[in-house]
Every structure is written in C-alpha cells, then in structure tokens.
Amino acid sequence: MTPRTRLCGTLLALLAHGQPAGSAPPPAEPGGGPLTVCLAEANPPFSASSLPDGGIDAELARAVARQLGREVRLTWVTIPNRGGLGKALAQNLAGGACALFAGIPESGGPNEDLAEKRLAASTPYLETGYVLVGARKPVRSLDDARRLGRIGVVTATPADLYLFQQHLHRLPYGNNGALLAALADGSVDAAALWQPALAEARRLGQASASDGLALPEAGRTRFVFALRHGDPALLADVNAAVDRLRSDGRLDAILRAHGLAP
C-alpha cells in the first residue's frame, strides 16, 4: 500500500468515526480574541435573552471580559429536557461553542456534571438560598413563623426538609409559581422561597419588597463559571477578574440590581 493510499484510508476512518478517543480538546481561545460565554436561555434572574441586560450572568460576563481587556460574545443555550445541564455543558464546552458556561450551581460540593465531564470551575461569584417571607407582616425569627402557622414551601426541597426538622406546619406546593400565588392571595401566612425566584417575582411586580428571614440552614447554592480543564490560564484570569469585581463592589452592585443581596 502506498503512503498516499494509507493517508486516504486514515482520513476516511476519521470521517466515519469522528475524533478518536483520547484526542486533545478544542484549542483554547487566543488571549486577545473575543471571550465566548454560554448562558442558559429563559433562566431569570440569572440569564434570559428577553431581559434588557440579559440577567446577572450576562452582566457579569461583560464585566469579566472588560477586566481581561477582551470583547465578549454571548451564546444563548436552551437546556434540553433530556440530558439537562450536563448535556448542554458537553455540547457547548467540549464542543468548542464557548470558552465559559455561566450560572453553574454547586450545592454542598463540586458539581457532579463538571467532575464527570472533566470540566473546571471558577471561584464562586454568587451564593444564595432560601428566605422565609410573611404574607402580611415580616418574619423576623422562627418563633414568628411558629406563631403564624401555615407556611408554604415547594415540596422535596432543602427548605421543605428544614421546616420539617423545625416541626413547622408546612403546606406543600409543586413549584415556586404556585407558592408565590398562594403567598399573594393569603392561602399561606408565610412562604419559604428560593431567593432568586423571589427576586424575579418582585421584578415582575408579583411579590412585595418586604424583607425575608434568611434560612442558611436550609442549604446554600454557589454559582460558578465552567470551562475546559485544558485552559488553566483562562481559569486563573477569570478567578482574578471575579475577585477584583468583588473587592471593588461591582459584583455586589450587579447582584443588588437584580434583587439579590450579597
């Protein structure tokens, strides 16, 4: 077999079977090129193309890119029903559609999707959780909640488990929308709400601006950027940018503008 024939055979095999196992990931973006960032579509207040500024993650992506002296290119991703976030990460990071994927949650430890797909995580830029909000008057303590009686909560959530452990009278709801409606019409005296869902409801005028009682014991979730393991320089740059934005107050300003107090 001639060298030319062998070469043709090799090319045909690659076309037929795709990239061979163990081959290198897509190359990292050059330092001066646009910073491509994937964002989950329709996930306010974190990200949504329908929001004027794109949401928290879009604002932060722009701020990080400015810190790095680069333009930003946002890519909106619809999270598939089958495969969920893990599939979206594999398709868009491993596939080379973007260098960063914003808004990746970590609850109680590293995100399993990142570990499974050998992806890296930035330093967390947001930590949030549940708050207890009264229907007619503020809830200042768990004793206040016990006196109120009916406390709505989305079933099978960390807040649901926490209220059960505190022996509070829980009324279960299927989702945040139903719980917010119950809070508005007085079907519950108070509600244990996911803080980002409450912030979005306030933006839409569907919830009052009254303060809530933070429930840190109900579990906290941190949010990070995900990126390929093969780009440690970008990871270091992004971590440094997030740290600078936190230290000078710009990160806090972005969060507050979207209804999430740091």
Side-chain angles (χ1 to χ4, degrees):
M1 181 182 292
T2 67
R4 179 182 179 84
T5 303
R6 284 196 297 271
L7 176 60
C8 290
T10 301
L11 291 174
L12 287 172
L14 289 174
L15 289 171
H17 300 291
Q19 194 175 30
S23 57
E29 294 180 332
L35 181 66
T36 53
V37 183
C38 282
L39 305 167
E41 173 62 284
N43 186 35
F46 299 106
S47 55
S49 61
S50 60
L51 294 174
D53 56 13
I56 293 169
D57 292 339
E59 287 274 71
L60 182 59
R62 296 186 191 101
V64 167
R66 284 194 293 270
Q67 287 289 308
L68 303 184
R70 297 170 65 175
E71 296 180 6
V72 68
R73 183 181 300 152
L74 304 181
T75 299
W76 296 101
V77 175
T78 299
I79 306 301
N81 291 327
R82 297 186 63 181
L85 182 58
K87 184 175 182 179
L89 286 167
Q91 289 177 332
N92 292 280
L93 280 179
C98 51
L100 299 174
F101 204 124
I104 307 303
E106 292 186 333
S107 300
N111 183 289
E112 292 182 0
D113 284 328
L114 299 187
E116 178 184 335
K117 292 170 176 56
R118 298 183 58 78
L119 298 172
S122 73
T123 186
Y125 57 83
L126 166 63
E127 181 175 313
T128 190
Y130 292 88
V131 291
L132 195 57
V133 179
R136 285 173 289 277
K137 57 183 179 180
V139 178
R140 304 296 187 190
S141 66
L142 289 181
D143 286 338
D144 286 350
R146 290 188 177 91
R147 284 190 288 269
L148 287 173
R150 303 169 302 167
I151 302 176
V153 64
V154 176
T155 188
T157 61
D160 189 19
L161 175 61
Y162 175 69
L163 296 183
F164 170 76
Q165 293 169 337
Q166 295 298 316
H167 307 290
L168 293 168
H169 180 203
R170 296 152 28 250
L171 294 179
Y173 287 85
N175 54 62
N176 286 303
L179 179 53
L180 283 160
L183 185 69
D185 66 21
S187 298
V188 295
D189 299 309
L193 285 159
W194 175 236
Q195 193 178 6
L198 177 60
E200 177 61 9
R202 286 171 172 165
R203 183 186 73 84
L204 297 173
Q206 298 171 353
S208 71
S210 60
D211 292 336
L213 173 67
L215 300 175
E217 299 89 349
R220 305 286 289 174
T221 298
R222 304 179 305 171
F223 289 85
V224 300
F225 288 105
L227 65 162
R228 294 184 292 270
H229 261 302
D231 201 348
L234 178 60
L235 176 60
D237 286 345
V238 169
N239 285 344
V242 170
D243 288 343
R244 285 194 296 270
L245 293 168
R246 180 180 290 110
S247 64
D248 66 17
R250 281 178 288 175
L251 177 55
D252 285 0
I254 291 172
L255 299 180
R256 290 186 188 280
H258 292 85
L260 288 179

